[in-house]
Amino acid sequence: MVDGELMNEVLTGEFSPAQGAATKVPQKIIVAYHRAAKRRHESEGEVEIDDGAQVNVFEDGGAYVQAWVWVTDEDACICPTCREELTDDGKGYDGECDSCADRSFEASKPWKPESVWDDHPKFPSSEWRYECDNGDTRLGYVDWVNAQLENDNA
């Protein structure tokens, strides 16, 4: 575990890690730490250690080996739709933020025109008539619009 002071130096860029040559550590020692890190900690898709990963050897008998750690959107509380950080640990609809959850909920509702003469703003009846004339649909206009909306949300 990295102590707070060292981690602060790493995060602020004040820490200049040793890569073997700077501290006169033999290459075989660096390779041994690298192999040990891969053997003990690497797990495909969870923790990965690149060939040539940085190895920081310390005088107290250990080393830090650079690794990639997979973190999901859910783990990081990131909305999968808008890619913004979630508030309230993603308690919205399907892990989305409040705004995206509201839009998803509204989009999931079927379209219901106020009168039989209303056209949907995105799917006008002229497009539906064209598909009917070509034999591409046998749905009524409202059902056809809702099918189009479902395809858009899929």
Side-chain angles (χ1 to χ4, degrees), residues 36-95:
K38 284 180 83 87
R39 185 176 59 250
R40 294 196 60 212
H41 301 289
E42 191 169 48
S43 172
E44 183 72 31
E46 292 289 323
V47 176
E48 296 186 18
I49 301 170
D50 291 341
D51 294 338
Q54 187 167 343
V55 177
N56 299 325
V57 179
F58 291 83
E59 293 176 359
D60 62 354
Y64 290 109
V65 179
Q66 182 183 32
W68 293 98
V69 179
W70 179 253
V71 180
T72 65
D73 286 350
E74 185 178 353
D75 292 338
C77 294
I78 302 293
C79 175
T81 305
C82 69
R83 311 294 300 154
E84 294 291 326
E85 186 174 10
L86 297 170
T87 56
D88 302 326
D89 294 328
K91 302 263 190 273
Y93 179 75
D94 282 345

